[in-house]
Amino acid sequence: MEDLSALNALYRPGPLDGGMVEEFIQRHRGLKTVRYLVPEMKEILSNTFGVLVYQEQIMQLAQKLAGYTLSEADLMRRAMGKKKRDEMALHQEKFVNGAVERGIKKEKAEKIFSLMDKFSDYGFPRSHAVAYAYVAFQTAYLKAHYPEHFYAAVLTSEAQDAAKVFKYSKELRTQGIKLLPPDVNESFLGFTPLSGAIRYGLAAIKGLGNSAVNSVIEARKTGPFKSFFDFAERLGHGTLNKRTLEGLVGAGAFDSLKSDPRELHEWRGALASSIDAALSMAQRARRERLQGQNGLFGSSADEFNDQPVGTGVPWTRSQLLLAEKAALGFYVTDHPLRGYVDLLQTLKAVKSVELPNLTSGGRISIGGIIGDLQSRTTKKGDRFALLRLEDEAGGTKCVLWPETYRKYSVLVANELPVLISGKLELSEDNPPSVIVDQVQSLDEMEKSKEMLVLEVPKSDDPAGLFDSILHLINTNPGSCDVALETQVDTDLLVRVRVNSSLRVERSEKFASSLRELGCVLRIEKMGLASAARGV
């Protein structure tokens, strides 16, 4: 016979416990012996190896062991499932008394009732269990053998929840499957499975409704879009507006139309600058069609297909990523934190995914991009801040109480890369959070690792040249150390480290002013420890 401690270990409360499943598997494989508290239980539980699996088994036990009618057994099952304690107390007394009347010892009757009560946290009707098992088998098979199709379906069902899309995008990377940005010539309403990749669905772009997506799909039935201007011309009147095009550009939906060697961020910036021109040309083309006019030297289609995208104002890499996040809810092409990987490793910063394995109350440092910043007020009227710090693995809730917020408010803004230090708080009911006591700019820390080396040419007036260089250093204060180099003769190069109190900002303005003096600016990376010591 199994004792009560073994049963309690088997059926600990909580749907994620897993004890019942593990026990079932071990008994099924013959690794554990199947035993019953009383012989009468065997007839009901033998097909599940003595483990309570189905709600019907509770009802059968109540009928067989305690003399319940079918309707009374169903009432007990419902009381257990809904945790109605008053009703459960009445049923416990009724069950135990009924079992004792049928020759079962009171102690064992109480154990059996306790076992059924704990089981009710997990139990399913048999019909539900069979249906769930069948669906679980199908999805497991699809995930194992057709992962692109499986994840495309999952992502489509969660397309409007950016947090879940981000979560599944991380899973895709571990499976070696690429998540490609949306494409006006390939994407459909939902996510599209490809070989070794999944194409983002157009409906997941913020501000792009289903009617606009359907118009895109309908328009390309006559052939793929050949250019940005061709796309603008072929979309029907009323479907296209500036906001729609901004979302498509930001999401990277026109990247496949790029036919020149420009970098991706330059291309998207040029597209964004061409939106007004594209809309104007599309409106003119519609007017001409309505008036029955054609171009003198060619068709309107030829004009739009051949229209080049102007240079416009190129985006920076940071602008490209911000536009992606605005359009899709997270970064697809890259992550803005990737440029700080080496720095964060040097600083021994933890990742968000590691937090649950650390000790609650310990002090940690974690790097990330600030998001979801909310400024709030305490009952005393003091301002504090809540934010989500996002790294490549996920996000962490951070709290800056008034004193800390006052001290670091200039560094706390959405989309800024920072290193946050503070006390880690862990609980069973909530995700990890950090009570912040220090905020540092990753940009400033990265710059502090750089030394600007000024190659100083020979001069007829060296004193005047060095005075001019010193003036430039004084008028461009920053966080970078400076060294001066000059070639004394063929075999002798002299380097002098400028006093650590004279640091400069690395900028094009500073470099341009140096070039006017005949100096060449070179950037050298320093070890973080050296940068901190100023040596």
Side-chain angles (χ1 to χ4, degrees), residues 6-28 32 45 48-55 57-58 115-124 129:
L7 291 173
N8 285 339
L10 173 57
Y11 295 113
R12 293 190 302 276
L16 299 180
D17 173 68
M20 182 182 74
V21 175
E22 185 62 29
E23 183 75 13
F24 182 93
I25 291 171
Q26 293 198 22
R27 291 185 182 191
H28 177 67
K32 280 193 175 183
L45 300 180
T48 55
F49 307 98
V51 177
L52 274 166
V53 175
Y54 307 121
Q55 289 182 354
Q57 290 173 318
I58 284 184
L115 174 62
M116 293 191 300
D117 184 22
K118 289 182 171 64
F119 155 82
S120 63
D121 287 328
Y122 306 82
F124 278 95

Side-chain angles (χ1 to χ4, degrees), residues 7 22-23 96 105 127 141 155 168 191 197 227 241 243 267 271 307 337 363-364 380 386-387 404 425 432 479:
L7 291 173
E22 185 62 29
E23 183 75 13
V96 171
K105 292 182 179 180
S127 58
Y141 183 87
L155 288 166
Y168 288 118
F191 288 74
S227 72
N241 56 45
R243 184 184 175 191
W267 163 256
L271 287 179
Q307 179 69 27
L337 204 63
R363 193 170 188 276
I364 63 157
K380 294 182 179 180
L386 303 174
L387 61 87
T404 305
E425 292 196 342
S479 58

Side-chain angles (χ1 to χ4, degrees), residues 438-450:
Q438 185 180 39
V439 183
Q440 295 172 275
S441 166
L442 288 179
D443 282 335
E444 290 302 316
M445 296 178 80
E446 187 70 35
K447 286 179 182 178
S448 71
K449 293 169 59 183
E450 296 175 345

Side-chain angles (χ1 to χ4, degrees), residues 141-182:
Y141 183 87
L142 286 172
K143 185 175 181 180
H145 298 283
Y146 301 94
E148 295 91 349
H149 292 76
F150 171 80
Y151 280 108
V154 171
L155 288 166
T156 296
S157 69
E158 304 289 359
Q160 300 307 313
D161 190 331
K164 288 187 177 180
V165 173
F166 175 66
K167 168 191 162 186
Y168 288 118
S169 72
K170 292 189 294 179
E171 281 191 34
L172 290 178
R173 285 197 295 270
T174 65
Q175 301 260 354
I177 300 172
K178 294 180 180 179
L179 181 58
L180 304 176

Side-chain angles (χ1 to χ4, degrees), residues 355-356 358-364 396-399 401 422-428 430-436:
L355 296 181
L358 302 179
T359 303
S360 184
R363 193 170 188 276
I364 63 157
T396 305
K397 177 185 175 183
C398 298
V399 182
W401 293 122
K423 185 176 75 171
L424 175 64
E425 292 196 342
L426 301 175
S427 72
E428 293 183 0
N430 298 299
S433 61
V434 178
I435 306 301
V436 182

